[in-house]
Amino acid sequence: MDELRVDVAGVVAMVEAVVEFEWTWAVADVDRLCGYLGWEEPGRFGRTETQWWSRTDLAVEDSVATFRIVGDRLDAVTVSVSESGYGSSEFGASAVAELAIALEQIWDEPTDEWISARHGPGWHFGNVAVGICHGATIEVMVVNPLQHDYFSELRRWRGDLAQRIDAPDSRFPEVVSELVRADFGAWSRETVQAVCEGFSCAAPKVTETTDAARESFGYGEVGALTLTTQLSEPAADTVFRAALARCRAALGDPDLIGGGQGGFVTWVGPEHLAVMTREKYRQGRGLDLRADVTIELCLKPTVPTLRSLAEGSESEDMWEEQDAISRESNYDSSHGDVVLVERWHYRPDPDRSLPPRLANAATPIWAADDMNELAHNLHLLFESFADDLRNLPDIPEIGWAIGIYDEPGPLAHGWFTAISCDMDTFDSKGSHARPLLPEGADGRAIVAETLAALHARGSVSPRELWCEAWVPGHPNTLTGIRFGLRGDRPPPWERGPAETH
């Protein structure tokens, strides 16, 4: 697909005018700004008083400005500055870079990597903040400085809090650090036992190998070590981030990050393969609803494990004391005692090669045939984005879009960050934005609104839909995405013949 077309000169002129505009951030600024910039007279979205819109004079098709109002205050103006398409995905990255370079020539380098709750180059001008966002179209955000500063403080507060909290299971990150740095030699029972005897907390679970595994792939007597703890939120998040930092200090940047039913981070080292997982279980209802989180580190010897994966033979009959695993297609992967239903993969360094079959979710063999299957996938994806991104500093934001083939633009698109999420839906009356959800991104709410937008179109089959997802500023890193729709990665022609759309 061709690059998105952006009216760069028009955007630069608009931003220059916005910076000179005399902002009061009262609701009256909506009419004043439209008149000042020569835009069409603003109108409301339906009966709501919180969303207004105006068609701009930018030289791209359907360029619309959306005004977000909270009470008697104007919070932000979002302007689509590129033509609509099937989601901007990877090919929008160069458009963002082109715009950023044009703005840097006037105002120097960005003052921030964020604009309000969104990730993207931003400039703070005192009475207004301006930034570029990579959404389903490329957008320029004009933000009330109070709103921008609120999210800046929220990000700083979360970072400080993570450092201050005295986690109840504080020994877990320390033992993780000792394990990932340990030398297990040939992975004999004696060596592994000697390493684990010095731990003051619960020792890791030892999984021994069978004679067949040793003969076929060169395993030692021990095939895996699994260290597990279970905590309630938010203590679990603190422990996970601390353990993740210890792994990063010892092993460097991870090779693969992903999620679905739970989040995982993988390192492929010369001696052992390490996988940190985080899986949340909700219990109770209403006011009694609580979430317990299981955090696990699984270590396996690298060379025999990769040999086994390459031949597709790492299965339950190769291991002792492992229950039979019920696997959903080949999306799922087993990390020690945890079997994760994987729905997305992120590679921090897309140029770094990955061993074959390291991540089973890279080769899906089915697609969603009905809306129930699609709803299941959306819950796994969006709840994972909401839960896992706040603990994964490698990923600043994930954007997504869903639409109908042969129709311009998406039906719904949105984004998730560590501290918030948002989405827009589209119908014959235009775009409809939902309120921001600061501090506690709600994946289930985003799923409900997305499904409502799809159902509003009548009897739409998942096979008529396309999807896109991307990480702004990090092209080609979201290497696996599983909506069960056209646009999944890898593309449909890499699936089996029966499943190709």
Side-chain angles (χ1 to χ4, degrees), residues 17-93:
V18 160
V19 173
E20 295 298 325
F21 183 70
E22 295 182 359
W23 292 96
T24 67
W25 297 106
V27 176
D29 279 1
V30 175
D31 287 312
R32 291 179 56 241
L33 182 66
C34 291
Y36 180 74
L37 295 176
W39 293 350
E40 290 186 3
E41 183 178 346
R44 291 184 301 178
F45 282 125
R47 298 179 179 178
T48 179
E49 293 288 345
T50 61
Q51 294 287 329
W52 289 69
W53 71 280
S54 172
R55 197 172 304 278
T56 78
D57 61 350
L58 294 177
V60 293
E61 185 178 359
D62 295 327
S63 175
V64 172
T66 303
F67 300 83
R68 184 187 296 276
I69 296 169
V70 177
D72 59 356
R73 184 184 75 243
L74 174 62
D75 260 4
V77 185
T78 303
V79 185
S80 59
V81 300
S82 71
E83 57 194 358
S84 297
Y86 293 117
S88 59
S89 188
E90 310 295 358
F91 59 87

Side-chain angles (χ1 to χ4, degrees), residues 184-322:
F184 297 102
W187 286 73
S188 66
R189 295 187 190 92
E190 182 179 359
T191 302
V192 171
Q193 182 178 357
V195 171
C196 296
E197 279 180 349
F199 299 148
S200 60
C201 66
K205 176 184 176 182
V206 175
T207 303
E208 297 190 359
T209 56
T210 63
D211 291 338
R214 296 167 203 158
E215 293 174 6
S216 299
F217 308 114
Y219 281 104
E221 294 170 318
V222 176
L225 286 175
T226 308
L227 183 70
T228 304
T229 187
Q230 189 173 54
L231 299 162
S232 61
E233 291 185 310
D237 289 349
T238 304
V239 171
F240 182 85
R241 286 193 289 265
L244 188 62
R246 302 295 179 89
C247 286
R248 188 184 296 275
L251 306 174
D253 291 335
D255 292 273
L256 183 69
I257 298 172
Q261 179 182 326
F264 68 90
V265 185
T266 302
W267 291 264
V268 183
E271 301 300 328
H272 45 246
L273 187 149
V275 182
M276 278 275 297
T277 60
R278 175 190 178 279
E279 187 171 9
K280 183 165 76 172
Y281 303 89
R282 290 187 176 92
Q283 301 184 39
R285 294 182 177 180
L287 296 177
D288 295 326
L289 179 67
R290 67 185 182 90
D292 290 331
V293 177
T294 297
I295 303 170
E296 179 181 287
L297 171 72
C298 180
L299 293 179
K300 296 180 181 180
T302 297
V303 174
T305 299
L306 295 184
R307 285 176 186 158
S308 176
L309 287 172
E311 297 187 25
S313 302
E314 188 181 40
S315 57
E316 54 265 28
D317 61 351
M318 306 300 292
W319 304 89
E320 295 178 356
E321 302 178 7
Q322 180 165 318

Side-chain angles (χ1 to χ4, degrees), residues 366-433:
W366 65 273
D369 288 318
D370 58 44
M371 296 303 289
N372 288 332
E373 288 182 354
L374 177 59
H376 175 65
N377 285 347
L378 291 179
H379 274 287
L380 287 170
L381 270 175
F382 290 171
E383 290 185 40
S384 173
F385 292 162
D387 288 338
D388 294 323
L389 259 59
R390 67 174 182 264
N391 297 305
L392 299 171
D394 302 80
I395 308 174
E397 178 178 316
I398 291 181
W400 61 271
I402 295 178
I404 299 177
Y405 264 98
D406 301 324
E407 292 191 8
L411 283 176
H413 73 93
W415 50 268
F416 289 86
T417 70
I419 60 173
S420 188
C421 62
D422 199 4
M423 68 172 291
D424 291 332
T425 59
F426 297 84
D427 57 25
S428 59
K429 298 180 181 179
S431 171
H432 304 273

